[in-house]
Amino acid sequence: MSKQFRIKGTGRVDPSRPINFTFDGKSYTGHQGDTLASALLANGVHLVGRSFKYHRPRGILGIGADEPNALVGIRRDAARYTPNLLATQVELYEGLNAVSQNRNPSLEHDRMEVNDKWLSRFIPAGFYYKTFMWPKSAWDKWYEPRIREAAGLGVAPSQPDPDVYTQRYAHCDVLVIGAGPAGLAAAKEAAATGARVILADDRPVMGGSLLAAADTNISGEGEDWYSAGAWRKEVLAFLEKQPNVTLLPRTIAFGYYPHNWIGLCEKLTDHLAVLARGAPRERLWQVRAAQVVIATGAIERPLVFPENDRPGIMLADAARTYLQEYGVAVGQKVAVVTAHDSGYRAAHELKAVGVDIAVIADIRGRSVVSDRAVQAGLNVLTEAKIEGTSGKLRVSSITMTAAGMRSNFACDAVLMAGGFTPSVHLFSQSRGKLVWDNKLQAYLPGDSAEAERSAGASRGRFALAEALADGVDAGREAAQAAGFTPGTPAFHPQVTVKHAIGSGGYLGAAPTSADLSKAKAFVDWQNDVTAKDIVLATREGFLSIEHVKRYTTTGMATDQGKLSNINALGIVSEATGRSIPQIGLTTFRTPYTPITFGTLAGHARGMLFDPARVTAINDWAVAQGAAFEDVGNWKRAHYFPKHGEDLHAAVNRECLGVRKSVGIFDASTLGKIEIVGPDAAEFMNRFFVNAWTKLGVGKCRYGVLLREDGFVTDDGVVGRVAKDRFHVTTTTGGAARVLGMMEDYLQTEWGDLKVWLTSTTEQWSVIAVQGPKAREVIAPLIEDLDVSAEAFPHMSIGDGKICGVPLRLMRVSFTGELGFEVNVPSGYGRMVWEAIWERGKAFDMVPYGTETMHVLRAEKGYIIVGQETDGTVTPDDAGLGWAIGKAKPDFVGKRSLQRPALTAPDRKQLVGLISSDGRTVLEEGAQIVDPAAPKVPIGHVTSSYYSAVLGKPIALALVRGGRQRLGESLYVPMPDSVIGVQVAPTVFFDPEGARVNV
Amino acid sequence: MQRFSALSLLRHGLGRHQGWKPQWRNAQPKPGYDAIIVGGGGHGLGAAYYLAKVHGITNVAVLEKGWIGGGNTGRNTTIIRSNYLFDESAALYDHALQLWEGLSQELNYNVMFSQRGVMMLAHNIHDIQVFKRHVHANRINGVDNEWLTPEQAQEFCPSLNIDPNVRYPVLGAALQRRGGTARHDAVAWGYARAADALGVDIIENCEVTGIRRDANGAVLGVETTRGFIGSRKVGVSAAGHTSVVMGMADVRLPLESYPLQALVSEPVKPIFPCVVMSNTIHAYMSQSDKGELVIGAGTDIYTSYTQRGGLHIATHTLEAICELFPQFRRMRMLRNWGGIVDVTPDRSPIIAKTPVKGLYVNCGWGTGGFKATPGAAHLFAHTIAKDEPHPINAPYTIERFRDGFMIDEAAAAAVAH
Amino acid sequence: MLIINCPYCGARPELEFAYGGQAHIDRPVQPADLNDEDWTGYLYLRENTKGIHAERWRHLHGCARFFNALRDTRTDHFLATYKVGEKAPEVTRP
């Protein structure tokens, strides 16, 4: 069968390399170089899909990225299923397995056809806004699930995608988008100047319309002439040789972003029968170009007439291109309906290979072109009206009226030539201004917003000679604008053609005597939007083109209006009596064609999605079997279970171990900033709430930091290691934020201060050794620093050596026990940790994680910023009023603390809570109410744990007027019960603080 | 107003749909109105509707510089929920949610409010604490919100991967079953049609260029590209452009306008039954009735009025989506766009009177304005009609920033430790 | 992705920078002297200009320095960048 439609000796496919493939389970054979669409057409298959709404049978309409009908799913294997691919872009490979979509059970018999036959009359554009409202509850229960089932196109993949995707960044002087005649000419000229050129084209073979140019010759700079194909080869050979040129076939430029940042997607493996292991499927290029040449060509326009959607009805130049590029005749008896000279070209070229041209129906009047066709023996009707077509799964005839005569022509294909629409998508994305050209009846690029220029058909230069000349000029100008010098004067090639592309074109619904309020004349094929839908929208007051688009969904299908938008404009124009520029134009949004999520995500998957930060001691904790938690980007040991302990058992054991003897904790994730300079103390005074001037060298102080709005944003212990040097610690999550805030004030407000800031978070490993035996554990390891209780009391800081390596020791406690934080350079962290661990064994030392750290600090009423505070808490709310340096005239946030809301008497304050039953551990986040008003929350539980050392649960909470309520009974309402609690002081354990001072 | 129903559809179908009337008139500006709303988005059109419907003020114009619903109303990911933390927020958003629940019937326009449930994923212990606080606070405030284990979350959304050994495992989720999505354009059109039927003039392609005031500073009306239009009451509901419009009356507001992006995939058959949000890894996704996966991306870091953002913002969002749902990696981005969101210092809106007599403002919705549409519109209409706020929007003043009475939902979810 | 000309390092991609909001807002020398209204102005009120906006950027992943820029918020195109403490250069308004 395929022989009937494959024309020997035409096209660039290789008949010596047959390729087997299946479509809907049926086997076919194509040739190397075919697309799925060309191979199906060569086998006489037009029916490839069903439409979105009416489920009408549909055939291949076009040949490129604008195809609205021929959407298929490609199943390479169980995990490599891709829906909604365009058959016009899928390259054939051995064993390709394609399935049609949106039909049940088959393309030939689709149950949903009922929509078309019986329902379509009652489901015009926007019908769903007018119904499905009764009864109220039925929308999401009944109507919506059915609408959803009917909608959608292909089926989403169900398994994780095993393919990998890669990304590259690139710079160039001139990026040329599109390798048709204008693009090739531009790239050649720019490359010749020495500029770095990238030439990208979405098709596997570069050349654009040159690939389908029959009987066309182009002059060289000498006396020589080239056929279009030879000229293409010559230019490509030149470009391939240039070291400054990168050629990117199979690469679509999908987005034009600010500052000449262009997104390109290169397809790497979808055309291969066998995938190399690990080979990336697609590559995202992000190109910063000094200059861009947009040579994206033009999109052929269909004609809007009744029943213009039957399989076999397609775009004329697409059909011609199937012939010239793939050697495929789209039918045996073809009717042409045209509003543009290019329809005649298609007819002539098809006739030349023996296809029977049933009729050429030109909706325009008689012309030189039509006369020539008549002379060539073609049957031409002019001033034709197109009345309709027939045929169920394939067009079988077309009816038209000309010169008062209605005639019916049998055919197996109908070619529509409505003219060409310049592809201005990227130009428009760049925010360049589009200008309506009345002569061409098209929007063309006007003033640029970025460093770009358009060339060729993308700005209305359709004829080959014009496009080539335009490309030459654009390439030279772009290179010049990028700082390069073009050589000899520009050479514009001459062109001879047998059949020129010509001129003409039509917008809107083509002339017909049919009643367009009854007929289905499609504007947007995929979304089943007809001319009458668009007229209905205007009737209902949707006058803006954006409204028409959204109400009818025209232009919102997967081709994003490439075929439909301009015809929709024409229909709105006619229906409302306004000119097209008055109606405007819908926005061209990125991407130009759909882009795979995986390509955009690239390598950012799994552990590379967001690389985890780990400390020098991490591997030790892993080896010990610690459970981890995520804190910001950090992995922190959460607890160290032994013998199958759960969280609570482990934490109880760890807590008691610390309180009884000693524990070891990895505190390396705390942020650390070194503040140095003659004005360091003044900087600290201005930045933190505390007073720092009098803090002695070798002493530590707990620092509190506010935002300028007066709310607590961070805290940490600060040590003064020298008169001009502070060692600041921050919360784990706050490190970068605090440093950024410090730099902001220092650089932009306090230029008078001589201070330098350095992040030392990664510099130090911090090993907290906490518990009554802490000193005994570490003292023997330390040199050059007296750590005795007298010489190194609580809140001391000093430098020395431990295990022979540099040490910065802080005597601080976040547990309420005697405690030290051993800071050593990170490279030594693991070694020192293990040395301490070894010595600690004699003291039953326990390693503990963040959960135990939280319990121990809560027993002492120490807050955690981000848990007790939430960005709405003042120092006084958190019980930290004592930290404020009262005598200081100013510090960050001080002025805001005087605002009425921040001094209001009934603010939420931090208190302790004890469960009245002595057993129930409250849920963190639980709300608190006063028995007098049980519906009004007055606070919430911020922290809650079982305290092993106290043998009962404890909790911290923010409660309205909390400090006035000590001893009061309040309620914590839960879904199934109410828990009684008593308000208590925040310090549950060792309230005198004796244990830190031993 | 022509009633919409299955029956009317049937009747007009028999008449080939020739009998449908414009859903709203293409009104020409009159010299004066009792009230003017600047901004023809859902909020503005809704305010006009409620002015007419609830307060009997029907001599109202809505002035829209482009086409109605063309701003953030038509550019958002349509997520609707009310499980906010603070009492003031829960009251505001649940007021809106309750109106959503009857909106199609109220307007006789199917806005396709679909209560598919909004599920917010917890990926770390801090998330769990924050979400549980929300759940408890919501319960007391009468707002539905429940805590799900990872298994329950997966049962609700089978696409969810709950393997604990991934970079950001799902440790649980907060689910608001009453939450969901709606058809954004229909909200604008439905309000426009209903307001128009009550006498409101909807005037498109009419950009406000100035605000005229009397000697005492009170509002007299607005200068527009279609001439002066008088009114003693002007309500501004201009989203990203609020600063520009309010600047015409010398009112400065604590607002900054940022680009916010969203994107959709190609349509596929139903695969994703609810709305899933992950604040921690910045991913928000649902599936539209048409079959597209609708995905919210983040804001760019700089202020802008360009209605577009950088490619890296969209790619970052898709990294998160692919990480959460690796089966969608082969899906393709069909359309990506940007809007302009106006953000206040506490990320909560302003619905209030202004220092200028007769000038009212509804702004500062940041990334969350769509869900509040009926509620905000209803409260804004009340504020304009009564010249004083409704109790629900009483906390949402401009003065709260001066006095420190912030409603800081974002800070309340902030991460430190 | 914008390209931003750091006055110290030259043109670099946006990813290297942090945005710092409106420029030329000096922190009051004595905040205590300000009434609530004026303090609110410093804390929160911003021009939010549609047009040429003077703004702060920090070359965070570079020299780490703050600088100022003039950017047209209608197009996101920069007209100038300049150092902290310098006056905004005169630019021709597009």
Side-chain angles (χ1 to χ4, degrees):
Chain A
M1 170 140 178
S2 73
K3 283 192 182 65
Q4 290 169 274
F5 299 101
R6 190 73 80 170
I7 308 298
K8 273 209 178 103
T10 311
R12 56 181 174 80
V13 293
D14 186 350
S16 68
R17 295 169 68 190
I19 291 181
N20 301 299
F21 69 102
T22 64
F23 177 63
D24 278 347
K26 200 171 162 194
S27 296
Y28 299 94
T29 306
H31 296 328
Q32 179 67 36
D34 263 329
T35 63
L36 176 60
S38 68
L40 286 169
L41 290 171
N43 284 280
V45 177
H46 277 254
L47 173 66
V48 288
R50 289 269 173 171
S51 63
F52 195 85
K53 183 172 165 186
Y54 301 136
H55 288 250
R56 284 169 70 95
R58 289 289 166 77
I60 296 161
L61 187 71
I63 197 162
D66 48 351
E67 173 61 40
N69 288 338
L71 273 63
V72 297
I74 301 290
R75 186 179 298 281
R76 207 175 253 281
D77 56 44
R80 288 185 175 86
Y81 174 76
T82 317
N84 298 343
L85 294 178
L86 303 184
T88 52
Q89 293 184 316
V90 170
E91 292 177 56
L92 210 60
Y93 58 81
E94 182 63 34
L96 178 118
N97 175 9
V99 286
S100 61
Q101 303 185 149
N102 205 36
R103 81 290 186 266
N104 183 12
S106 71
L107 277 178
E108 288 75 17
H109 305 281
D110 184 350
R111 288 190 198 108
M112 297 288 284
E113 242 176 9
V114 59
N115 283 4
D116 184 43
K117 291 204 162 52
W118 306 107
L119 289 180
S120 61
R121 184 167 187 178
F122 305 107
I123 53 173
F127 74 97
Y128 29 74
Y129 300 123
K130 295 176 176 154
T131 183
F132 304 134
M133 289 180 275
W134 299 270
K136 188 170 147 184
S137 63
W139 170 249
D140 13 7
K141 304 273 174 311
W142 175 259
Y143 297 121
E144 192 185 33
R146 273 149 194 85
I147 288 174
R148 282 176 175 257
E149 229 20 86
L153 289 167
V155 176
S158 57
Q159 295 187 24
D161 182 2
D163 278 330
V164 294
Y165 300 84
T166 187
Q167 301 188 333
R168 273 190 71 173
Y169 293 90
H171 288 83
C172 67
D173 300 307
V174 179
L175 169 66
V176 181
I177 301 166
L184 283 176
K188 179 180 169 223
E189 293 293 328
T193 67
R196 292 169 304 164
V197 173
I198 295 176
L199 174 61
D201 189 275
D202 66 333
R203 303 190 59 203
V205 180
M206 289 190 169
S209 63
L210 292 172
L211 292 165
D215 304 317
T216 302
N217 292 298
I218 302 171
S219 71
E221 293 199 36
E223 297 293 306
D224 44 344
W225 281 79
Y226 301 85
S227 71
W231 188 89
R232 181 191 77 86
K233 275 195 188 129
E234 192 82 2
V235 173
L236 276 174
F238 167 80
L239 291 173
E240 274 160 16
K241 272 192 299 210
Q242 307 308 308
N244 54 330
V245 173
T246 307
L247 296 179
L248 297 176
R250 294 194 178 88
T251 303
I252 184 79
F254 64 82
Y256 203 128
Y257 298 92
H259 300 192
N260 263 20
W261 182 254
I262 321 291
L264 313 175
C265 174
E266 182 183 12
K267 289 191 191 315
L268 297 169
T269 61
D270 269 7
H271 61 292
L272 300 175
V274 181
L275 298 184
R277 210 182 155 77
R281 179 172 173 238
E282 294 181 356
R283 177 182 290 128
L284 175 70
W285 289 79
Q286 294 181 76
V287 178
R288 179 85 66 186
Q291 295 287 324
V292 174
V293 175
I294 300 173
T296 46
I299 293 171
E300 196 180 5
R301 199 151 61 230
L303 286 170
V304 178
F305 58 86
E307 288 126 18
N308 57 348
D309 70 322
R310 298 187 194 282
I313 302 180
M314 60 193 304
L315 295 169
D317 206 57
R320 189 189 68 81
T321 305
Y322 280 114
L323 171 67
Q324 301 300 355
E325 273 204 55
Y326 303 99
V328 173
V330 299
Q332 291 170 317
K333 192 175 175 72
V334 171
V336 178
V337 291
T338 187
H340 190 278
D341 302 344
S342 63
Y344 293 87
R345 177 170 71 170
H348 284 297
E349 292 185 17
L350 282 162
K351 180 169 181 283
V353 298
V355 174
D356 186 5
I357 305 298
V359 64
I360 299 177
D362 195 329
I363 66 174
R364 305 172 297 172
R366 229 182 106 182
S367 66
V368 178
V369 179
S370 69
D371 287 350
R372 235 172 55 197
V374 172
Q375 284 157 22
L378 289 163
N379 178 22
V380 178
L381 304 178
T382 54
E383 292 179 40
K385 290 178 178 173
I386 307 157
E387 315 291 23
T389 66
S390 65
K392 186 169 184 300
L393 299 177
R394 176 81 180 259
V395 67
S396 58
S397 76
I398 182 164
T399 308
M400 36 215 143
T401 307
M405 270 239 317
R406 192 179 169 98
S407 11
N408 193 46
F409 296 89
C411 60
D412 61 356
V414 173
L415 310 189
M416 302 177 281
F420 296 88
T421 307
S423 185
V424 293
H425 300 67
L426 291 171
F427 173 78
S428 175
Q429 288 174 15
S430 81
R431 299 296 171 96
K433 276 217 164 43
L434 291 168
V435 182
W436 177 252
D437 185 305
N438 225 0
K439 186 161 156 272
L440 283 178
Q441 289 282 293
Y443 279 103
L444 297 182
D447 291 340
S448 292
E450 296 277 354
E452 56 71 44
R453 67 209 72 230
S454 294
S458 70
R459 68 181 196 111
R461 308 294 167 96
F462 298 118
L464 182 54
E466 282 179 28
L468 288 169
D470 208 30
V472 166
D473 293 346
R476 294 168 69 91
E477 286 165 20
Q480 194 155 23
F484 296 82
T485 313
T488 51
F491 171 74
H492 293 160
Q494 287 174 279
V495 172
T496 62
V497 290
K498 189 164 180 189
H499 302 289
I501 184 169
S503 60
Y506 192 81
L507 305 184
T512 181
S513 22
D515 179 355
L516 277 182
S517 73
K518 291 182 185 164
K520 288 196 182 96
F522 287 89
V523 176
D524 185 316
W525 270 248
Q526 189 182 107
N527 273 357
D528 279 331
V529 182
T530 59
K532 66 182 168 186
D533 287 320
I534 290 172
V535 174
L536 172 63
T538 62
R539 182 178 305 131
E540 292 197 75
F542 294 90
L543 300 178
S544 154
I545 190 65
E546 284 282 359
H547 279 157
V548 172
K549 165 182 148 187
R550 287 158 179 263
Y551 190 66
T552 63
T553 75
T554 190
M556 299 193 77
T558 58
D559 68 311
Q560 291 289 288
K562 290 184 181 69
L563 293 182
S564 56
N565 278 352
I566 200 81
N567 277 330
L569 274 175
I571 294 168
V572 172
S573 170
E574 195 182 323
T576 62
R578 293 173 302 160
S579 71
I580 284 178
Q582 280 179 306
I583 300 162
L585 186 62
T586 58
T587 316
F588 292 94
R589 285 170 170 166
T590 56
Y592 177 69
T593 55
I595 301 297
T596 310
F597 284 4
T599 308
L600 295 166
H603 296 286
R605 61 203 288 180
M607 290 302 151
L608 290 182
F609 166 61
D610 188 9
R613 295 176 80 180
V614 293
T615 71
I617 295 141
N618 180 72
D619 292 353
W620 186 90
V622 171
Q624 293 284 317
F628 283 81
E629 68 159 326
D630 288 309
V631 181
N633 296 98
W634 289 97
K635 291 281 179 193
R636 298 196 76 181
H638 191 204
Y639 59 101
F640 288 82
K642 264 183 163 177
H643 316 302
E645 283 174 330
D646 66 3
L647 168 71
H648 299 291
V651 167
N652 288 345
R653 176 180 51 73
E654 290 171 15
C655 286
L656 290 172
V658 174
R659 295 260 181 250
K660 229 163 69 188
S661 180
V662 63
I664 185 168
F665 174 72
D666 182 2
S668 304
T669 64
L670 287 184
K672 294 167 281 286
I673 300 165
E674 191 120 333
I675 298 183
V676 190
D679 297 319
E682 175 59 18
F683 175 80
M684 294 293 292
N685 279 335
R686 294 187 194 179
F687 198 66
F688 287 91
V689 306
N690 318 65
W692 300 95
T693 314
K694 289 183 184 157
L695 181 69
V697 172
K699 296 294 172 206
C700 295
R701 180 165 287 167
Y702 171 69
V704 177
L705 176 65
L706 309 185
R707 299 189 308 224
E708 198 65 273
D709 65 4
F711 298 113
V712 175
T713 186
D714 212 86
D715 69 346
V717 172
V718 178
R720 189 166 197 173
V721 288
K723 194 164 178 311
D724 63 349
R725 185 174 292 257
F726 290 83
H727 178 108
V728 174
T729 66
T730 74
T731 59
T732 295
R737 189 177 62 238
V738 172
L739 181 64
M741 197 171 147
M742 284 179 170
E743 286 285 1
D744 192 341
Y745 281 91
L746 186 60
Q747 291 187 38
T748 70
E749 300 292 352
W750 301 333
D752 56 321
L753 298 184
K754 284 194 161 58
V755 175
W756 290 266
L757 309 172
T758 309
S759 167
T760 55
T761 302
E762 301 276 357
Q763 209 70 31
W764 299 107
S765 277
V766 184
I767 303 162
V769 184
Q770 302 274 317
K773 303 290 185 192
R775 187 184 294 112
E776 285 175 68
V777 171
I778 64 163
L781 302 173
I782 295 176
E783 302 163 68
D784 303 341
L785 185 65
D786 181 353
V787 297
S788 66
E790 302 71 35
F792 203 69
H794 184 51
M795 299 302 266
S796 293
I797 185 168
D799 290 354
K801 282 188 168 166
I802 186 166
C803 307
V805 304
L807 163 72
R808 174 165 292 173
L809 189 68
M810 299 169 84
R811 183 172 164 191
V812 292
S813 173
F814 202 41
T815 59
E817 301 295 334
L818 168 65
F820 296 91
E821 288 187 358
V822 175
N823 290 258
V824 294
S826 299
Y828 300 118
R830 174 80 183 264
M831 180 273 283
V832 173
W833 174 280
E834 292 200 35
I836 297 172
W837 174 244
E838 276 308 310
R839 252 201 70 71
K841 282 181 177 166
F843 300 89
D844 294 326
M845 186 159 80
V846 290
Y848 65 95
T850 49
E851 188 68 15
T852 290
M853 178 267 281
H854 279 197
V855 178
L856 296 173
R857 65 88 203 174
E859 289 171 344
K860 290 295 297 177
Y862 299 145
I863 69 155
I864 290 197
V865 170
Q867 189 162 342
E868 271 65 40
T869 72
D870 62 4
T872 67
V873 173
T874 67
D876 184 65
D877 299 343
L880 301 174
W882 56 268
I884 296 175
K886 303 284 185 300
K888 293 202 296 180
D890 187 26
F891 55 80
V892 173
K894 180 179 168 76
R895 174 64 186 80
S896 289
L897 290 174
Q898 267 111 57
R899 295 188 292 163
L902 285 78
T903 54
D906 60 341
R907 288 189 63 82
K908 290 179 183 171
Q909 295 169 329
L910 190 71
V911 292
L913 291 183
I914 303 283
S915 305
S916 303
D917 65 3
R919 290 193 314 272
T920 308
V921 179
L922 302 174
E923 188 159 284
E924 287 168 351
Q927 298 292 299
I928 299 161
V929 298
D930 192 314
K935 292 282 174 210
V936 184
I938 57 169
H940 75 283
V941 177
T942 59
S943 294
S944 174
Y945 311 96
Y946 177 75
S947 166
V949 72
L950 298 170
K952 62 177 185 185
I954 57 166
L956 295 172
L958 283 167
V959 176
R960 203 166 283 293
R963 289 201 289 270
Q964 309 304 313
R965 293 175 180 264
L966 287 182
E968 274 185 29
S969 293
L970 300 175
Y971 288 156
V972 173
M974 297 298 286
D976 45 4
S977 64
V978 172
I979 304 164
V981 292
Q982 274 203 319
V983 182
T986 54
V987 186
F988 298 94
F989 180 69
D990 185 27
E992 305 77 31
R995 297 174 71 94
V996 295
N997 286 314
V998 294
Chain B
M1 188 171 82
Q2 282 178 313
R3 290 291 295 174
F4 287 165
S5 67
L7 204 65
S8 69
L9 207 52
L10 199 68
R11 206 178 58 239
H12 283 285
L14 296 173
R16 300 288 174 190
H17 302 285
Q18 301 297 307
W20 293 112
K21 298 275 187 307
Q23 297 192 1
W24 62 91
R25 291 165 293 127
N26 182 16
Q28 303 306 309
K30 293 192 284 192
Y33 291 91
D34 293 339
I36 286 174
I37 304 289
V38 180
H43 284 230
L45 294 162
Y49 168 74
Y50 291 114
L51 275 174
K53 175 85 179 177
V54 178
H55 304 282
I57 303 173
T58 56
N59 185 26
V60 175
V62 177
L63 308 184
E64 166 54 48
K65 74 180 166 117
W67 37 284
I68 63 167
N72 292 345
T73 298
R75 292 167 185 270
N76 72 91
T77 54
T78 82
I79 297 173
I80 294 164
R81 64 182 180 92
S82 67
N83 52 350
Y84 280 72
L85 179 62
F86 292 115
D87 301 346
E88 299 88 337
S89 318
L92 173 61
Y93 289 101
D94 212 58
H95 179 62
L97 184 47
Q98 287 170 28
L99 290 171
W100 275 116
E101 285 171 330
L103 195 60
S104 292
Q105 288 71 28
E106 162 95 24
L107 300 179
N108 180 232
Y109 208 96
N110 189 355
V111 300
M112 303 184 196
F113 177 48
S114 169
Q115 295 185 292
R116 353 186 19 83
V118 175
M119 196 164 77
M120 304 169 79
L121 302 180
H123 296 287
N124 56 46
I125 292 169
H126 183 261
D127 283 352
I128 296 175
Q129 289 165 341
V130 169
F131 288 169
K132 286 196 171 173
R133 184 179 168 196
H134 279 70
V135 168
H136 287 294
N138 289 151
R139 195 180 63 251
I140 291 179
N141 280 319
V143 174
D144 80 300
N145 194 10
E146 60 195 275
W147 177 255
L148 303 184
T149 63
E151 292 73 24
Q152 290 169 324
Q154 192 188 41
E155 195 177 323
F156 193 72
C157 180
S159 299
L160 201 61
N161 175 14
I162 56 167
D163 181 348
N165 298 310
V166 297
R167 178 67 183 89
Y168 283 103
V170 174
L171 303 184
L175 170 65
Q176 184 172 32
R177 291 183 194 271
R178 285 165 66 225
T181 56
R183 173 87 186 106
H184 51 18
D185 293 329
V187 177
W189 302 338
Y191 272 125
R193 172 170 165 267
D196 174 272
L198 294 170
V200 172
D201 280 355
I202 291 155
I203 303 164
E204 298 179 277
N205 301 308
C206 181
E207 183 170 0
V208 171
T209 55
I211 297 177
R212 194 183 289 180
R213 295 156 68 187
D214 68 14
N216 300 320
V219 166
L220 285 174
V222 293
E223 316 284 352
T224 77
T225 49
R226 296 172 71 171
F228 174 77
I229 308 174
S231 181
R232 286 283 182 176
K233 285 174 184 269
V234 172
V236 175
S237 194
H241 278 87
T242 303
S243 296
V244 176
V245 178
M246 296 302 283
M248 297 169 190
D250 300 320
V251 176
R252 291 177 78 202
L253 292 171
L255 289 176
E256 290 188 289
S257 296
Y258 288 90
L260 177 70
Q261 295 183 59
L263 59 97
V264 296
S265 75
E266 295 176 291
V268 285
K269 294 291 179 192
I271 183 77
F272 203 74
C274 59
V275 181
V276 168
M277 310 177 65
S278 168
N279 292 332
T280 299
I281 63 174
H282 310 296
Y284 316 89
M285 183 159 78
S286 63
Q287 187 176 16
S288 71
D289 284 343
K290 202 179 168 196
E292 299 160 334
L293 296 177
V294 181
I295 294 168
T299 53
D300 283 85
I301 60 174
Y302 49 84
T303 62
S304 178
Y305 287 87
T306 56
Q307 290 196 323
R308 67 166 168 183
L311 174 60
H312 57 294
I313 304 290
T315 58
H316 181 69
T317 296
L318 287 171
E319 290 167 11
I321 293 294
C322 290
E323 186 60 18
L324 268 181
F325 304 105
Q327 67 270 38
F328 295 148
R329 212 175 262 136
R330 289 179 101 82
M331 296 285 292
R332 302 193 297 173
M333 175 169 84
L334 176 64
R335 201 161 61 238
N336 173 209
W337 65 92
I340 312 169
V341 298
D342 49 324
V343 180
T344 65
D346 66 359
R347 304 293 194 273
S348 286
I350 298 168
I351 315 170
K353 299 169 66 171
T354 71
V356 173
K357 187 169 164 46
L359 185 63
Y360 309 85
V361 69
N362 168 28
C363 66
W365 290 93
T367 61
F370 180 74
K371 66 173 73 69
T373 303
H378 182 257
L379 299 170
F380 195 39
H382 180 104
T383 306
I384 295 168
K386 307 279 186 198
D387 196 37
E388 62 181 30
H390 186 280
I392 294 176
N393 68 307
Y396 292 90
T397 61
I398 303 173
E399 292 75 27
R400 77 174 186 273
F401 299 98
R402 179 192 66 205
D403 299 338
F405 289 100
M406 316 294 265
I407 307 162
D408 202 337
E409 291 283 335
V415 185
H417 65 265
Chain C
M1 190 181 303
L2 307 183
I3 193 145
I4 302 170
N5 191 26
C6 169
Y8 303 96
C9 307
R12 296 289 188 277
E14 180 192 331
L15 288 185
E16 294 183 13
F17 295 84
Y19 182 66
Q22 188 182 329
H24 307 300
I25 300 172
D26 289 336
R27 187 171 189 272
V29 181
Q30 284 298 344
D33 296 346
L34 271 63
N35 62 28
D36 282 348
E37 209 70 55
D38 292 341
W39 180 245
T40 306
Y42 164 70
L43 268 187
Y44 297 130
L45 296 188
R46 299 295 178 260
E47 293 303 328
N48 201 23
T49 311
K50 184 179 186 181
I52 296 170
H53 188 231
E55 61 193 19
R56 309 185 319 152
W57 287 86
R58 183 179 176 215
H59 194 189
L60 181 60
H61 305 294
C63 64
R65 300 185 73 165
F66 278 86
F67 60 91
N68 294 326
L70 295 180
R71 181 176 54 95
D72 190 332
T73 61
R74 295 165 302 184
T75 62
D76 290 341
H77 287 175
F78 286 92
L79 291 95
T81 54
Y82 52 102
K83 294 175 182 174
V84 169
E86 292 178 355
K87 270 184 66 181
E90 291 293 321
V91 292
T92 41
R93 317 231 142 199

